[in-house]
Structures are given as structure tokens and as C-alpha cells.
Amino acid sequence: MTLLLLVPLLAPLAAPPLARHALDRLDPVTALWAVTASSLALAGACVTALGVVVLTALLEIPAFAALGELVHPLRTLSDGVLVPAAAAAAGVLTVGIWTLGRSAVRQVGAFRTARTQADRRPAAGDLCVIDSPHPDAYALPGRPHRIVVTTAMLRSLDAAEREALFAHERAHNAGGHHYFLVAAELAAHCHPALRAARAAIRFAAERAADEAAATAVGNRRLIARAIARAALAGHDSRSTRPAFTPAATTGPVPRRVAALLAEPGSRPRATRWIAVLLAACAALSVTAATAGVLTVHHEVEVAQGEESP
């Protein structure tokens, strides 16, 4: 069981390089789905493995064994291995839950503030303009979806660039990209290696919106120019928007602009093996965590006298 539970703890280390290759080799929408799904699977398997170690240690304590109606305490690993492992797993889970809780409270508060601010302003369709000296624009989820833009950002762009920026933000709302960003934030608190995958998911969401906006507007250079000017305008401004609200000015903007200015056929040929590797890594991790759970379940049944060893 020990070796099995190591797999979900080590597998996320492969996610960052695979995510980088996915961004280079897959189209943005496919990369977004592949990296997000694999990150969630890796995060879930990691948390499950840590929980199994803690539960196993608890069931070796007579008091907890009695609560589980065990005839005798669980007998698996030696205390010299299990106790330190369980203590470390409990510490990691505690820190993860604490940081995730803090982030959730902060982000929910920021979202409520942004939503209240947007709802108080008159909207022209889905567009909401906020009077602010700080250039900013972002897609705000909720009912209804909003495109929030500040007056400073509007002054920084010409008419065509403003329409291009709006098309980008509408693509975020249409694609439900805030769900992907929430999933990325959740996974990042489950394993340190998945923080790099979070950045990859954010970049993939921006690239997906870039391409959707370029298709809607019909001018890739205009989208690239609008993104570049918006990013330069908002470079020094401090935004209080939630982390899961996508915005055209986030991510490595020069890399995004270069992708838009490049000929569509000049991008490296999409290869499915990256997606297959991501899926295989996630599947291996989930399988190992599941096998660990089943092993402990069998040991519990033996300890309850329901099955023979």
C-alpha cells in the first residue's frame, strides 16, 4: 500500500512540463480542457492518498478502532513508518485546507464586491463601465454575465481596439472560462506542483479567448494590438478583481501577441500524444489512489471480522 500511495504524491510533478508541451502543441481549447481535467484528477488523487494514510493511522488507535466497530485495531504498516507518514500527511492536509479556505473567503468577497459594483451601474447590454483612474477590463461571471471596463481603459484604446477587447471578454463568458480558473485554483492548493499547472490553465484560457475573438472580429492583428495596448495601459494599475475572473491583460501577453501575429499554419502541428500523456498520468494517479482505498477497506473489513485476512 505504501508504494501505491506514493504514486499520487509524485505524479503531479509531471504535470508542469506536460502542461507546457500541451500549450505549445494543442489548440488552446483542447489544451484548456486537457490540463484542467488532468490537474483536477491529480489533485483529487493526491488528497485521497493523504487521507488514506491519516485514516489508517487513526484506525490503529484503539479508541478510533472502537468507533469504527473494529474487533481489533487496524494492522498494516509498522508504527515507525506509519506514524511519521500520517503526521506529515495530516500537516499537509491542514495547510492545504487552511490556505484554500483563506483564498476562498478572499475571492468570494472580491467577487461580491465586483458584482455589487457592476449591478449598481447602468449597463449597455452586457457592458458595464466603471469610473476609475485605473485601466482594467475583465469578464465577470454571474447572472447576467458582464463585461466590466473602467473609464481609464476606454480612454487608452481607440474605437476598434475597444470592440476587440470586448470581443475577447465576451469569449471568456461564452466559454465559461471562470469555471476552469476556479478548478485551477482548487487544484493548486492540493499539491505545490499544480501551481505551475494553474498558470498554464490561465494562459490556455486567455489563448482560447484570443482565438475566439480573432474569429469573431476577423482581424488577428487588431486583437493582438488591442491586447498589447490594454496590457501596457494596465501594467501599473492595481486590480481588486477576483482571481477567477479572466481578463485580456493577464498572462504572458507578449507570447499571446506573438501567437496571434503568427500565421495560423505556422504553429507546431497539434499532436495528440501530449493529451494522451496527461490522461495517462492522471489515470495512473487515480488508479493508485483507488487501489490504496480498496486495500484499506479490505483491511478494515478484516479487522471488523467480516472477512478473513
Side-chain angles (χ1 to χ4, degrees):
M1 183 185 71
T2 307
L3 294 178
L4 279 176
L5 295 180
L6 282 177
V7 173
L9 303 181
L10 297 178
L13 298 175
L18 288 176
R20 287 193 295 269
H21 283 293
L23 295 177
D24 292 335
R25 297 289 179 177
L26 300 175
D27 67 271
V29 174
T30 303
L32 180 61
W33 278 97
V35 178
T36 304
S38 61
S39 295
L40 281 177
L42 290 169
C46 177
V47 171
T48 300
L50 293 172
V52 167
V53 174
V54 173
L55 179 62
T56 302
L58 289 176
L59 291 178
E60 287 199 350
I61 301 173
F64 286 97
L67 290 175
E69 300 180 352
L70 274 61
V71 176
H72 56 78
L74 205 63
R75 298 187 182 95
T76 51
L77 301 173
S78 65
D79 290 343
V81 175
L82 183 59
V83 173
V92 171
L93 286 174
T94 301
V95 171
I97 293 172
W98 171 252
T99 58
L100 178 60
R102 287 182 57 191
S103 176
V105 170
R106 184 171 60 251
Q107 296 304 323
V108 169
F111 172 72
R112 287 179 176 175
T113 300
R115 191 73 214 186
T116 300
Q117 188 179 36
D119 290 341
R120 288 176 178 173
R121 298 281 180 172
D126 61 349
L127 181 63
C128 176
V129 179
I130 295 177
D131 188 15
S132 172
H134 304 292
D136 198 12
Y138 56 90
L140 184 64
R143 294 185 179 180
H145 290 324
R146 296 290 190 204
I147 298 171
V148 180
V149 60
T150 64
T151 51
M153 179 62 79
L154 293 178
R155 289 193 295 267
S156 301
L157 307 176
D158 61 32
E161 292 166 348
R162 288 196 291 268
E163 290 302 320
L165 182 66
F166 300 158
H168 175 96
E169 304 303 348
R170 288 191 179 98
H172 278 311
N173 281 332
H177 293 164
H178 51 282
Y179 292 116
F180 295 93
L181 299 185
V182 169
E185 190 71 19
L186 177 63
H189 288 278
C190 296
H191 195 288
L194 296 178
R195 294 172 186 170
R198 174 178 59 185
I201 292 171
R202 289 177 175 172
F203 178 73
E206 294 304 325
R207 283 287 299 119
D210 290 343
E211 294 298 329
T215 300
V217 173
N219 189 332
R220 299 177 67 85
R221 296 187 67 85
L222 175 59
I223 299 295
R225 188 172 77 245
I227 290 171
R229 292 194 63 183
L232 287 174
H235 177 68
D236 295 327
S237 65
R238 295 182 180 181
S239 176
T240 58
R241 63 176 180 263
F244 59 83
T245 53
T249 57
T250 58
V253 174
R255 186 178 172 190
R256 291 167 52 202
V257 169
L260 283 167
L261 294 179
E263 293 295 330
S266 65
R267 185 174 56 87
R269 184 175 59 87
T271 52
R272 296 183 180 274
W273 65 267
I274 293 295
V276 172
L277 282 179
L278 277 169
C281 183
L284 177 63
S285 183
V286 170
T287 301
T290 303
V293 170
L294 293 176
T295 300
V296 171
H297 181 263
H298 174 71
E299 295 294 337
V300 169
E301 289 185 334
V302 171
Q304 288 175 333
E306 297 180 6
E307 288 189 11
S308 59

